[in-house]
Amino acid sequence: MAKYQSKNVTVLRDAKQGDAGFVAGSDQILIKLEDGSQKVVSRRDVVES
């Protein structure tokens, strides 16, 4: 299980051009939050537990 800001999340895939919040040249991933929404975040901000 992965955690982002102490909340359980699911890692969907690497972020890519066209994803909301994507920044070119950054190491980012697309995650799914508990409420079902998706968010692009820095890979280092997600902790595998």
Side-chain angles (χ1 to χ4, degrees):
M1 178 64 60
K3 291 197 177 276
Y4 173 71
Q5 296 181 342
S6 301
K7 297 177 185 166
N8 292 330
V9 299
T10 302
V11 177
L12 300 176
R13 59 173 169 79
D14 290 343
K16 61 183 179 182
Q17 190 70 33
D19 290 339
F22 178 76
V23 177
S26 297
D27 189 16
Q28 296 176 311
I29 55 177
L30 181 66
I31 61 172
K32 183 175 181 179
L33 305 170
E34 289 181 317
D35 66 3
S37 63
Q38 296 180 0
K39 184 173 186 176
V40 172
V41 297
S42 174
R43 186 179 308 274
R44 68 178 179 200
D45 291 341
V46 176
V47 178
E48 292 293 332
S49 58

